[in-house]
C-alpha cells in the first residue's frame, strides 16, 4: 500500500511539475505592425477563420512543432485544445481543402527571427526568447 | 559551413589579426621600426578586416536569399499526402459475414501554383480494387476532387472544378482520420449531392467578435452514374451555405444550406429543392454536433412527388487521447413509403498520435415501420493520415 501511495505521489508530482514549470508563452508580431489583437482574434487566426490583417494584407502564420512544450501551452490557453488536436485540425483543413492560411512550422528561435523580419508575421514563442528584442512586439502573454 | 560557424571563424581570424597587430604595436618600442610604419600596417589590417566583414555580410545575404528561394520552391512544389483505413466488421445481418475491409487508400495531390492560385485533387481507391484482364472488378477508383482555387481576399475567393458539396458539416468534414465514426450519418450525400462539378465563390466576413462564412456554388447537378464529362441536361444546380461562428463556450457554429436543381438526373430528373440547418458547439471536452436536411422532389405529372428527411445529433466527450460518444440518426428516403431508419450508435476512439487513430463503433439499425429485421454491427478500424 505504501509503495502504491509513493508511486501515486511521484506520478502526481511529475504531472504537476510539468504544468508548474511550463514557461509563459507570448504571441509576437513585428515591431512595425501597429495592429492590436485580442485573444479571441488570435484564436480566430490560429483556427484559420481569420487570415488577413485589418489593412487586407495576408497574415504570415508561424506554428511550433507539435512536440514543443510552448505549443501545448498556446493551444491549451488559446484554443482550449491539445497540441495534437490542433495539429489534427490543420490536417483536416488540408484534406478537406478548406485551409486558407497554411502555417509555417519552425523552431521557436527561428519564429522570432522570421517575425522580426516580416511585418505581416505572427507567431508565439517562450517569453524568454522575446525579451529585449526591439524588432518584435508582444501582443499577448499566456501565463 | 553554417552562417554561425562562418561568422565564428571570421571573428577568430579577425581577433587574431588584431591581437597580432597589438602585440607588434606593444613591441614597437623595443623594435627598430618606426611608429609610423606600425601605424600604416595597422591601418592596412583594419582595411582588410573591413573588407572581410563586407564579404561576410554579402555571403550571409546570399545564404538567406538561397534559403528563401528554397523555402519558396518547397512551398510551390507538388505535395502528396493521403489517408488509409482498414476495418474489421462484425454484423448480425442475415446473409452477411464478418470480415476485414480495406476501406480507403486516398491520395491527395496539391500544388500552390503561386501566391493566389492553388490546385487540389483526391484520388480514392476504395476496397483495394484489382483490375486484371476481363475479371469482374470489386471496389472503385474515384477522382473525388480536382479543382483550382483563386485566392483573392478573405472575403471572396473562387473555386473551379470538382469539389465536395459545401452543405452542412459532414459533407466536407467527413475524412476518417478526423471524424468519430467510419459510418457517416445516413442522410449525408442523399439529400445534398456528394459532389459538385462546377464553380463556387466563398469567403469569410468579420462581424465584431463573430464571423460569417459563406459559400455559393453552381454546377452540373447530380447525375447517375456520376459524369465528369458533360452535363446530362441543360439546367444547372445552385446552392448556398452560410455559417456563423460565435464566441460562445469555446466555439458555436450555426448555419444553413439551400440547394436547387430543376432537373436532378440522379433522382429521375425531379425538380429538387433541399434545405438544411446545422449546429456545432464545443465547450471544454464536450462537442455537440447536429444536422437536419430535407429535400422536396417534384416529378413530371405521371410520378408521385415525395420528400426526403434526415437528421442526427452527436455528442462526443474527450478524455486525454480518448474520445467517447454517441449519435442518434434518422433517415427517411421517401416520405410516401415506410422505409424510415433509426440508427443509434456508440463509439470510442483512441488517438495514438496526431496521425493515427484506433476506432471502435457500434451501430443499431431499426426499421420501425416495416417487418425488416433490425441490424446490429460493430466496426473496428485503424485509420491513418499520411500527410504532414
Amino acid at each position: 500500500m505504501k509503495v502504491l501511495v509513493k508511486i501515486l505521489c511521484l506520478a502526481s508530482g511529475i504531472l504537476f511539475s510539468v504544468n508548474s514549470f511550463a514557461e509563459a508563452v507570448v504571441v509576437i508580431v513585428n515591431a512595425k505592425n501597429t495592429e492590436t489583437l485580442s485573444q479571441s482574434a488570435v484564436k480566430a487566426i490560429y483556427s484559420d477563420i481569420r487570415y488577413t490583417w485589418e489593412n487586407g494584407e495576408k497574415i504570415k502564420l508561424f506554428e511550433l512543432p507539435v512536440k514543443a512544450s510552448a505549443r501545448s501551452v498556446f493551444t491549451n490557453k488559446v484554443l482550449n485544445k491539445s497540441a495534437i488536436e490542433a495539429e489534427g485540425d490543420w490536417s483536416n483543413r488540408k484534406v478537406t481543402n478548406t485551409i486558407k492560411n497554411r502555417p509555417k512550422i519552425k523552431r521557436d528561435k527561428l519564429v522570432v527571427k522570421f517575425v522580426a523580419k516580416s511585418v505581416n508575421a505572427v507567431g508565439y514563442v517562450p517569453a524568454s526568447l522575446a525579451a529585449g528584442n526591439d524588432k518584435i512586439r508582444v501582443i499577448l502573454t499566456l501565463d | 559551413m553554417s552562417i554561425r560557424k562562418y561568422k565564428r571563424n571570421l571573428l577568430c581570424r579577425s581577433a587574431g589579426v588584431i591581437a597580432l597587430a597589438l602585440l607588434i604595436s606593444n613591441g614597437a618600442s623595443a623594435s627598430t621600426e618606426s611608429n609610423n610604419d606600425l601605424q600604416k600596417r595597422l591601418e592596412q589590417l583594419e582595411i582588410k578586416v573591413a573588407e572581410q566583414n563586407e564579404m561576410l555580410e554579402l555571403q550571409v545575404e546570399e545564404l538567406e536569399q538561397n534559403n528563401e528561394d528554397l523555402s519558396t520552391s518547397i512551398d510551390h512544389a507538388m505535395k502528396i499526402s493521403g489517408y488509409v483505413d482498414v476495418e474489421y466488421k462484425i454484423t448480425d445481418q442475415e446473409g452477411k459475414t464478418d470480415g476485414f475491409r480495406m476501406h480507403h487508400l486516398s491520395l491527395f495531390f496539391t500544388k500552390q501554383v503561386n501566391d493566389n492560385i492553388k490546385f487540389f485533387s483526391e484520388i480514392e481507391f476504395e476496397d483495394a480494387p484489382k483490375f486484371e484482364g476481363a475479371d469482374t472488378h470489386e471496389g472503385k477508383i474515384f477522382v473525388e476532387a480536382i479543382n483550382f482555387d483563386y485566392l483573392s481576399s478573405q472575403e471572396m475567393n473562387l473555386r473551379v472544378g470538382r469539389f465536395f458539396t459545401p452543405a452542412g458539416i459532414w459533407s466536407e468534414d467527413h475524412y476518417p482520420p478526423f471524424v468519430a465514426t467510419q459510418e457517416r450519418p445516413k442522410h449525408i450525400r442523399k439529400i445534398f449531392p456528394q459532389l459538385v462539378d462546377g464553380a463556387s465563390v466563398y469567403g469569410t466576413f468579420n462581424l465584431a467578435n463573430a464571423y460569417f462564412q459563406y459559400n455559393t456554388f453552381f454546377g452540373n447537378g447530380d447525375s447517375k452514374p456520376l459524369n465528369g464529362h458533360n452535363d446530362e441536361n441543360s439546367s444547372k444546380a445552385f446552392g448556398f451555405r452560410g455559417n456563423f461562428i460565435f464566441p460562445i463556450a469555446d466555439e458555436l457554429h450555426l448555419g444553413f444550406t439551400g440547394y436547387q436543381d430543376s432537373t436532378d438526373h440522379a433522382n429521375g430528373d425531379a425538380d429538387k429543392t433541399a434545405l438544411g440547418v446545422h449546429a456545432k458547439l464545443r465547450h471544454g471536452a464536450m462537442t455537440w454536433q447536429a444536422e437536419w436536411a430535407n429535400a422536396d422532389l417534384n416529378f413530371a405529372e405521371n410520378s408521385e412527388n415525395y420528400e426526403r428527411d434526415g437528421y442526427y445529433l452527436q455528442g462526443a466527450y474527450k478524455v486525454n487521447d480518448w474520445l467517447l460518444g454517441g449519435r442518434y440518426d434518422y433517415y427517411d428516403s421517401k416520405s410516401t413509403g415506410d422505409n424510415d431508419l433509426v440508427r443509434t450508435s456508440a463509439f470510442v476512439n483512441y488517438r495514438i498520435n496526431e496521425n493515427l487513430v484506433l476506432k471502435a463503433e457500434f451501430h443499431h439499425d431499426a426499421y420501425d415501420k416495416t417487418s425488416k429485421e433490425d441490424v446490429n454491427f460493430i466496426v473496428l478500424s485503424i485509420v491513418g493520415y499520411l500527410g504532414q
Side-chain angles (χ1 to χ4, degrees):
Chain A
M1 185 63 187
K2 279 182 180 174
V3 174
L4 184 66
V5 170
K6 274 184 185 173
I7 290 169
L8 282 173
C9 287
L10 187 65
S12 60
I14 290 167
L15 183 70
F16 286 111
S17 67
V18 168
N19 291 330
S20 61
F21 286 122
E23 188 185 348
V25 168
V26 291
V27 180
I28 53 171
V29 294
N30 187 280
K32 288 177 189 160
N33 184 339
T34 54
E35 195 170 320
T36 52
L37 288 177
S38 64
Q39 184 163 327
S40 65
V42 172
K43 181 180 176 181
I45 289 169
Y46 277 89
S47 303
D48 205 30
I49 296 167
R50 178 182 166 181
Y51 39 99
T52 57
W53 296 106
E54 278 170 3
N55 62 10
E57 292 280 323
K58 192 166 183 183
I59 295 168
K60 207 168 179 182
L61 194 60
F62 288 93
E63 280 272 24
L64 298 180
V66 75
K67 284 183 181 165
S69 58
R71 183 159 181 184
S72 288
V73 173
F74 177 82
T75 56
N76 277 305
K77 300 268 182 190
V78 175
L79 306 174
N80 199 12
K81 288 181 177 179
S82 69
I84 284 179
E85 276 180 285
E87 184 62 23
D89 287 348
W90 283 117
S91 301
N92 186 36
R93 288 178 203 117
K94 285 178 197 167
V95 298
T96 53
N97 197 19
T98 54
I99 193 164
K100 314 292 189 324
N101 196 11
R102 191 185 289 259
K104 286 182 185 292
I105 298 176
K106 302 281 179 194
R107 285 184 291 118
D108 47 15
K109 284 177 187 164
L110 282 174
V111 169
V112 174
K113 284 191 174 176
F114 278 111
V115 172
K117 231 178 147 186
S118 170
V119 73
N120 290 322
V122 62
Y124 59 88
V125 291
S128 57
L129 290 181
N133 189 332
D134 60 359
K135 290 180 179 169
I136 58 173
R137 188 166 62 88
V138 171
I139 53 161
L140 188 65
T141 301
L142 306 163
D143 289 319
Chain B
M1 188 188 294
S2 70
I3 296 172
R4 197 179 294 168
K5 275 186 182 169
Y6 190 87
K7 267 186 175 172
R8 201 185 300 147
N9 281 348
L10 190 74
L11 280 173
C12 288
R13 282 165 58 191
S14 303
V17 169
I18 289 165
L20 182 65
L22 286 172
L23 276 174
I24 292 167
S25 165
N26 286 340
S29 59
S31 75
T32 54
E33 284 182 305
S34 71
N35 280 346
N36 283 346
D37 288 343
L38 285 172
Q39 185 64 32
K40 257 187 188 173
R41 289 177 66 185
L42 188 59
E43 280 170 7
Q44 283 169 349
L45 286 168
E46 280 175 345
I47 290 167
K48 271 189 180 174
V49 168
E51 282 172 355
Q52 283 190 327
N53 269 340
E54 208 172 297
M55 280 299 293
L56 175 70
E57 277 170 18
L58 272 173
Q59 284 175 342
V60 167
E61 267 180 37
E62 192 182 1
L63 278 172
E64 283 180 347
Q65 181 64 50
N66 288 346
N67 279 346
E68 268 178 35
D69 290 348
L70 182 65
S71 176
T72 307
S73 155
I74 291 169
D75 285 348
H76 290 177
M78 169 76 87
K79 293 184 179 65
I80 302 173
S81 60
Y83 74 90
V84 61
D85 50 358
V86 175
E87 299 171 355
Y88 188 79
K89 188 172 180 178
I90 303 159
T91 179
D92 66 2
Q93 189 175 358
E94 211 173 294
K96 299 267 183 182
T97 53
D98 303 346
F100 287 98
R101 183 180 188 192
M102 315 298 115
H103 199 159
H104 296 105
L105 168 63
S106 270
L107 300 175
F108 302 97
F109 298 88
T110 56
K111 183 174 171 67
Q112 189 75 39
V113 180
N114 60 29
D115 287 347
N116 296 106
I117 299 174
K118 70 171 182 174
F119 169 77
F120 178 89
S121 67
E122 181 191 353
I123 298 170
E124 181 181 280
F125 299 84
E126 191 165 322
D127 297 326
K130 180 187 176 188
F131 293 87
E132 188 174 321
D135 285 355
T136 307
H137 312 306
E138 293 289 336
K140 67 178 178 188
I141 299 174
F142 184 20
V143 180
E144 284 205 321
I146 176 168
N147 56 65
F148 286 96
D149 279 40
Y150 179 73
L151 306 167
S152 166
S153 66
Q154 180 172 295
E155 290 78 19
M156 198 167 82
N157 305 284
L158 174 68
R159 175 170 293 175
V160 178
R162 172 174 290 179
F163 47 90
F164 281 94
T165 306
I169 300 171
W170 205 289
S171 178
E172 282 186 329
D173 274 352
H174 66 278
Y175 284 97
F178 309 110
V179 292
T181 58
Q182 294 294 97
E183 292 287 314
R184 60 179 167 265
K186 292 301 289 183
H187 79 270
I188 301 298
R189 299 183 182 177
K190 292 174 182 133
I191 292 177
F192 300 108
Q194 179 187 3
L195 301 166
V196 177
D197 285 357
S200 80
V201 176
Y202 62 93
T204 303
F205 289 98
N206 298 357
L207 308 169
N209 286 330
Y211 296 89
F212 176 67
Q213 299 173 318
Y214 75 94
N215 197 323
T216 181
F217 55 93
F218 79 100
N220 289 344
D222 212 358
S223 61
K224 204 171 183 178
L226 191 65
N227 176 1
H229 179 59
N230 61 351
D231 198 351
E232 300 288 350
N233 50 59
S234 60
S235 77
K236 296 288 174 279
F238 297 87
F240 183 87
R241 179 182 62 189
N243 183 51
F244 291 93
I245 304 171
F246 298 104
I248 294 172
D250 283 314
E251 208 169 277
L252 172 66
H253 291 243
L254 286 177
F256 58 94
T257 308
Y259 178 83
Q260 213 282 325
D261 186 358
S262 59
T263 318
D264 186 351
H265 187 259
N267 289 288
D269 289 336
D271 182 353
K272 178 179 175 181
T273 304
L275 292 169
V277 291
H278 65 265
K280 186 174 183 176
L281 175 71
R282 186 170 67 85
H283 182 55
M286 192 75 207
T287 302
W288 292 100
Q289 180 174 321
E291 292 185 64
W292 168 86
N294 168 277
D296 197 356
L297 292 124
N298 291 303
F299 296 86
E301 283 175 11
N302 296 335
S303 300
E304 189 181 30
N305 301 333
Y306 64 87
E307 291 183 26
R308 259 183 212 159
D309 255 321
Y311 62 84
Y312 73 88
L313 172 66
Q314 176 178 291
Y317 188 78
K318 193 176 174 304
V319 189
N320 297 322
D321 298 323
W322 295 86
L323 186 74
L324 316 165
R327 186 167 65 226
Y328 181 85
D329 185 1
Y330 170 84
Y331 177 56
D332 179 12
S333 61
K334 200 170 186 179
S335 54
T336 52
D338 290 329
N339 38 12
D340 304 28
L341 164 66
V342 173
R343 172 177 284 180
T344 42
S345 310
F347 55 82
V348 181
N349 291 184
Y350 175 69
R351 189 160 282 282
I352 297 169
N353 60 31
E354 64 270 32
N355 294 330
L356 205 58
V357 61
L358 302 175
K359 298 181 190 176
E361 59 202 84
F362 166 78
H363 304 278
H364 172 77
D365 287 353
Y367 303 88
D368 291 341
K369 291 185 179 173
T370 63
S371 56
K372 196 172 173 182
E373 293 228 345
D374 292 359
V375 174
N376 297 296
F377 64 99
I378 293 169
V379 181
L380 307 170
S381 55
I382 177 165
V383 186
Y385 170 58
L386 309 175
Q388 286 186 328

